[in-house]
Amino acid sequence: FFIMASIAFCIREDYLELFGGDSRVMLDLKDQAGRFFDRVSVNPVSFEDVDVAHVFNIQDPEIFLNFIHRIPESCKIVFSVTFWDSRFSKGYSYVYLQSALKEVLANMGMPLIYRKIKDSLSKVDYFIFNSFAEAEGFYYAYCSFNLRRLSHIIPQYVDANKYYVNKDYENREFDLICVGRIEEGKRQNQLIELVSKTNIKVMFVGKVYENNDYSKSFMKSLEHNQNLKHVGFANSVELLDLYNNAKSHVLLSKRESPGLVNIEAALCGCNTIISSNGPIREYFSDYTYVWDDLEDSKGFTSLLKTIIDRPPKKEYRDYLLRMVSKDNLETYLNIYKKCIEE
C-alpha cells in the first residue's frame, strides 16, 4: 500500500550522537515508512500537516511531554514506550508489581512529572511495547490498566542479514565481548572487577560519552590489564566481525528491554550472559545464562569455565530468528495504516 499522508518520528535530539536501541529501531522504521508514506520526517518543527506521529521513549519525560503537547488532536499518536522503572523491572512478578504500585501510590503527591505523564497518556492512540513484561510494568507504574486495549506487543527487530555466524566457535579469540556505551547503567566497571584476577580476555565496544569518574575508572582499568581491549565505535559490519571473534557476550545492565546487542550477539553464535533486569526469559527462554551477583568473582569465573568450550545450542539462533523476524516491522506499518483509515 502507498499512502498520500505524512508521518513524523519523534525522538531525542541526540539520537545519532548518543546512538542507542531506540535510535536503531526508529531509523529502521523510518526507512520502511518511506516506502509507503509520501512524506516522512524526524522531529519536525511543526505538526500541522502530520497525520501520524510516532513518539519514542519515555526515559526522558520532559521530551515525551514536549512532543505530546505540541501534537494537534487531528494527528494520531503511536507511542513506543521503552519503559524501565527499576521498581517495576526486577522479575516482573505480580507480587513485586503490586508492592511497587503501593510505593508509587504512597508518593503520588510528590512527583509532579508523574501526574503530567499520566494525564498525557489519554492523548495516545496506540501504545507499543517490546514485551509483555514491559507492558505490565508500565500499566502498574501509571495505574493505567485500561491501556491494555490500545496496546500492541511487538518484539524488537534485528536484521538477520547483518548478524550471522561466520566463524567457528573454537577459533574465536576473546572469551567475552561487552557491547554498549560506557556508562554506569551498563556496569562495565563491575564486569572488570569480576574478571580482574583472571586471564579472561574481554573486548569492550562502546563510546565513552561523559568524562566522569565512572568513565575515568573504566579507561584506567584498560591501562593496567592487557586482557581488556576497547573499541570506541563499531558499525554493523565491524560488529559482525567483533561478535564472531568472541565466545560469549555479557551485559550486566541495571536495565534493558531486552537489549538489541544481546540479540545481535546470539545471532552471531555467542553465548549470552545477561542480568535479570528485564524480560529475559520472554526473549531468550532458557538459552541464556543469567547473572546478577556483581561481587561473586569466583562464581562468575566458574560460570565462564563451564561455558568457555560449550558453544550455544543451534536452536538458540533459530528461536531468536522467529522472535525478531521482519514481520515485526510489518506490524508497525499496519498500525500506521490503521491510524490513517480511522
Side-chain angles (χ1 to χ4, degrees):
F1 63 90
F2 186 82
I3 304 173
M4 296 298 292
S6 172
I7 184 169
F9 293 94
C10 308
I11 193 170
R12 53 193 170 80
E13 290 291 342
D14 61 355
Y15 72 93
L16 288 177
E17 178 189 355
L18 194 61
F19 200 84
D22 56 342
S23 312
R24 188 173 306 176
V25 171
M26 188 278 288
L27 290 172
D28 283 340
L29 287 171
K30 176 176 173 285
D31 288 344
Q32 291 294 313
R35 297 164 45 207
F36 304 104
F37 285 81
D38 67 329
R39 287 164 293 152
V40 180
S41 60
V42 178
N43 296 342
V45 175
S46 171
F47 289 88
E48 290 304 317
D49 297 322
V50 174
D51 299 292
V52 180
H54 190 159
V55 182
F56 284 82
N57 209 327
I58 202 172
Q59 291 312 110
D60 191 329
E62 293 293 353
I63 295 177
F64 164 74
L65 291 170
N66 175 54
F67 282 126
I68 292 296
H69 292 154
R70 289 171 52 214
I71 298 171
E73 291 185 7
S74 58
C75 178
K76 295 288 186 180
I77 299 176
V78 178
F79 181 27
S80 284
V81 180
T82 315
F83 174 76
W84 53 51
D85 183 320
S86 59
R87 296 168 298 183
F88 292 87
S89 64
K90 189 73 174 179
Y92 292 102
S93 72
Y94 283 101
V95 172
Y96 192 90
L97 286 169
Q98 289 167 358
S99 173
L101 176 58
K102 289 179 181 178
E103 178 188 341
V104 169
L105 291 174
N107 293 291
M108 275 185 71
M110 295 173 57
L112 179 60
I113 195 74
Y114 172 92
R115 297 204 304 275
K116 285 183 177 179
I117 292 174
K118 183 171 169 57
D119 292 343
S120 298
L121 297 179
S122 62
K123 298 182 179 181
V124 177
D125 296 281
Y126 292 100
F127 294 83
I128 295 176
F129 299 95
N130 292 142
S131 67
F132 288 100
E134 181 184 54
E136 287 300 306
F138 185 78
Y139 302 149
Y140 271 84
Y142 287 96
C143 308
S144 300
F145 305 100
N146 59 315
L147 299 182
R148 286 193 179 102
R149 60 187 178 83
L150 303 174
S151 298
H152 293 262
I153 310 296
I154 306 178
Q156 300 215 13
Y157 163 71
V158 174
D159 189 346
N161 293 317
K162 294 180 179 179
Y163 300 101
Y164 52 86
V165 179
N166 67 11
K167 192 172 186 178
D168 291 338
Y169 187 83
E170 58 271 16
N171 295 328
R172 299 184 175 200
E173 178 184 357
F174 284 90
D175 303 310
L176 295 177
I177 186 171
C178 177
V179 180
R181 58 181 174 267
I182 310 304
E183 63 174 27
E184 190 172 355
K186 302 293 185 184
R187 292 174 167 169
Q188 289 95 344
N189 286 345
Q190 287 87 334
L191 173 59
I192 290 173
E193 284 296 316
L194 286 173
V195 301
S196 61
K197 297 179 181 179
T198 72
N199 292 320
I200 294 170
K201 294 181 179 180
V202 187
M203 169 62 77
F204 291 95
V205 182
K207 281 189 175 182
V208 178
Y209 287 97
E210 297 184 31
N211 185 25
N212 54 26
D213 290 343
Y214 189 87
S215 60
K216 289 177 182 176
S217 175
F218 172 78
M219 299 306 292
K220 189 174 181 179
S221 296
L222 299 181
E223 296 174 6
H224 294 90
N225 190 335
Q226 62 182 4
N227 289 319
L228 306 178
K229 304 297 181 183
H230 176 231
V231 174
F233 175 79
N235 59 33
S236 59
V237 175
E238 293 165 333
L239 272 176
L240 174 66
D241 289 337
L242 288 165
Y243 285 136
N244 272 278
N245 204 29
K247 293 184 176 181
S248 296
H249 179 266
V250 58
L251 193 61
L252 306 178
S253 296
K254 291 181 180 179
R255 53 190 183 270
E256 293 292 343
S257 63
L260 287 175
V261 293
N262 291 316
I263 300 171
E264 293 167 358
L267 292 178
C268 292
C270 294
N271 282 304
T272 50
I273 306 171
I274 310 172
S275 65
S276 64
N277 297 315
I280 301 307
R281 293 306 180 194
E282 193 172 328
Y283 267 82
F284 303 102
S285 186
D286 294 324
Y287 293 110
T288 193
Y289 297 91
V290 178
W291 190 265
D292 286 316
D293 194 331
L294 301 178
E295 297 182 358
D296 184 5
S297 177
K298 186 176 180 180
F300 187 73
T301 304
S302 177
L303 170 65
L304 292 180
K305 288 180 178 178
T306 301
I307 67 176
I308 200 74
D309 295 316
R310 183 188 296 172
K313 295 179 180 178
K314 180 182 179 298
E315 293 84 0
Y316 189 8
R317 189 173 194 277
D318 296 338
Y319 172 83
L320 281 176
L321 286 174
R322 293 192 297 271
M323 172 72 75
V324 300
S325 75
K326 199 169 184 178
D327 292 343
N328 298 343
L329 290 183
E330 296 297 325
T331 305
Y332 282 100
L333 295 173
N334 288 332
I335 292 172
Y336 301 155
K337 183 180 179 183
K338 192 174 180 180
C339 287
I340 298 298
E341 294 174 345
E342 288 179 343

